[in-house]
Amino acid sequence: MFVFPEPPYFFLLAGLLAGITSGLAFEASLKQLVQEWSISRSTRTIAYLQGVQLQLPFLGICIGICIFLASGLEVFGFPTSLSYGVAIILTLLTGLLIWSQLSKLLVQLERGGSRSIDLDSWG
């Protein structure tokens, strides 16, 4: 008789909670640093935006989402090793793309100010 293992509902919720709380910390840090930059217009502030103050919450988002994705796959019956393999690859690729896009956006902000990233004016 084959018995299915208990799905990791705890890790599913813990990963989601970690991702959300890290996302809120990331948002607050990014807003604070952009506000400081808008006052001083210093290139040092933009360079600081890509430092540990943003990398740590971003890493927390990535880890939380990776655990959430892997646990979600396990709920549907995938083996743990396959679930974490797929989740790690997806999280790494997505995280690198998002970090790259954020870096480009910050450079664009530094060069052209907030008008250069006003999406409503692209029309």
Side-chain angles (χ1 to χ4, degrees):
M1 180 160 149
F2 185 73
V3 178
F4 287 105
E6 185 67 29
Y9 294 123
F10 172 76
F11 287 116
L12 188 76
L13 292 175
L16 183 62
L17 184 62
I20 289 172
T21 54
S22 295
L24 293 173
F26 181 79
E27 176 192 17
S29 297
L30 187 61
K31 282 182 179 180
Q32 177 189 2
L33 289 171
V34 168
Q35 189 174 31
E36 288 174 14
W37 173 83
S38 69
I39 294 169
S40 68
R41 300 285 182 182
S42 170
T43 57
R44 180 179 254 176
T45 307
I46 291 292
Y48 190 65
L49 279 171
Q50 297 172 354
V52 175
Q53 190 171 359
L54 278 184
Q55 288 176 353
L56 192 61
F58 189 75
L59 183 63
I61 293 170
C62 290
I63 290 171
I65 296 306
C66 182
I67 292 170
F68 175 77
L69 285 173
S71 299
L73 288 173
E74 285 184 63
V75 165
F76 288 107
F78 288 92
T80 303
S81 58
L82 178 65
S83 297
Y84 276 94
V86 169
I88 287 170
I89 291 170
L90 283 174
T91 304
L92 279 176
L93 291 175
T94 306
L96 289 172
L97 288 172
I98 290 172
W99 191 259
S100 169
Q101 193 65 27
L102 178 64
S103 298
K104 289 176 185 176
L105 190 63
L106 292 174
V107 168
Q108 188 177 3
L109 177 67
E110 181 182 15
R111 289 185 184 156
S114 59
R115 280 188 179 167
S116 66
I117 58 171
D118 185 17
L119 298 176
D120 293 335
S121 66
W122 289 13

